[in-house]
Amino acid sequence: MLQGGKIDLFAYGREAGEYIVREQADGNPPVRVVYRLGGYDLYYAFGTDTPDSVVQEYQQALDALKTDAGPGGVSTYEQILRRYEPASALSSLTYLTEDFAPLNYEEDGVLKGVAVDLLGAVFANSGVNITTGDIRLVIWKDGYARALNEPGIVLFSTARQPHREDLFRWAGPIIPGDNVLIADSGRNISVTGPADLDGCVIGVMTNTSSIAMLESLGVERENLVFRDSAQELILML
């Protein structure tokens, strides 16, 4: 009904709802979460005629599962959660990254880098059936657009900036970074402050955090040259 326009929104639990739509749409549902109504805790609900002693006995047994130290210090409770949560979350997502060494880059057909290796370690520690080989290298502009418009997309490495805060949900930080201005050493260009940028033509990658930083310094958008390739901008420089 949602896909057919007979209803505008579907209210349900996030985990169960996402599981159902994935099954319905063969793993790639054309839907997305647009608002959080509120949270709740899930319980076992016993009938009112159940003796208190029975409920207390069960509660004690459940609490023990949460505190016992199993292999690697992981409780039985956590082990059980990990069997299902990664399968319904981490394994079902699509991971996209750009060529942005040393955080993420491709070498001899293999993805490498700080962010890639960290994600691979998360996969391994979570016991999911995916690896860094499942990560897809994309043009940043395309990956950014997919992350905004498609469900189940994870895009990295993405600078967390105020103008993006409500566009995504965040996990990190991975590593700190700086946006800088790069000049041709043969032109003797010197920048000591925002005033020196007046009239400069500056190349920027589409949808990158540099744009908002430059605009906050008073750089007019008409002085920005947008491209999808860093290599192209370096050649223009």
Side-chain angles (χ1 to χ4, degrees):
M1 293 176 71
L2 185 70
Q3 294 173 351
K6 295 181 180 179
I7 57 174
D8 296 313
L9 300 165
F10 171 41
Y12 206 56
R14 176 188 287 273
E15 293 82 2
E18 291 178 343
Y19 180 87
I20 292 171
V21 293
R22 279 196 303 272
E23 293 292 306
Q24 186 83 1
D26 195 26
N28 188 27
V31 299
R32 61 190 176 94
V33 175
V34 296
Y35 187 74
R36 180 179 180 273
L37 292 172
Y40 55 80
D41 291 320
L42 294 169
Y43 278 74
Y44 293 98
F46 290 77
T48 55
D49 60 343
T50 307
D52 290 344
S53 59
V54 173
V55 178
Q56 290 170 3
E57 180 180 355
Y58 184 84
Q59 185 68 58
Q60 291 170 0
L62 180 60
D63 292 342
L65 294 179
K66 295 181 179 181
T67 57
D68 68 345
V74 180
S75 69
T76 301
Y77 176 80
E78 287 293 334
Q79 292 177 50
I80 293 173
L81 287 186
R82 289 182 182 182
R83 291 180 201 165
Y84 296 95
E85 288 191 339
S88 63
L90 297 183
S91 295
S92 65
L93 302 175
T94 299
Y95 297 86
L96 305 178
T97 191
E98 63 165 338
D99 192 353
F100 190 60
L103 272 75
N104 15 271
Y105 63 98
E106 188 175 43
E107 184 176 273
D108 298 328
V110 178
L111 285 180
K112 300 179 179 179
V114 177
V116 172
D117 290 352
L118 282 173
L119 186 55
V122 169
F123 292 157
N125 290 342
S126 300
V128 297
N129 60 345
I130 52 176
T131 67
T132 55
D134 294 297
I135 302 170
R136 296 290 171 259
L137 190 68
V138 297
I139 296 173
W140 180 253
K141 181 192 72 170
D142 296 340
Y144 197 84
R146 289 188 62 184
L148 288 176
N149 298 300
E150 296 179 23
I153 299 292
V154 179
L155 178 68
F156 69 96
S157 299
T158 308
R160 187 171 184 173
Q161 296 289 317
H163 68 284
R164 291 176 174 167
E165 188 64 33
D166 296 330
L167 298 179
F168 305 100
R169 303 187 72 178
W170 304 90
I174 303 170
I175 192 173
D178 292 310
N179 278 327
V180 298
L181 290 169
I182 298 172
D184 185 330
S185 58
R187 293 186 59 192
N188 197 30
I189 294 177
S190 176
V191 178
T192 60
D196 295 330
L197 301 178
D198 187 33
C200 288
V201 178
I202 303 173
V204 293
M205 291 276 287
T206 307
N207 290 330
T208 55
S209 57
S210 302
I211 300 168
M213 290 184 177
L214 288 167
E215 290 180 332
S216 72
L217 295 176
V219 176
E220 298 291 338
R221 206 170 182 87
E222 62 189 27
N223 289 332
L224 299 180
V225 175
F226 298 88
R227 291 292 186 274
D228 299 334
S229 165
Q231 288 79 2
E232 183 179 355
L233 288 169
I234 291 171
L235 290 174
M236 294 176 71
L237 186 69

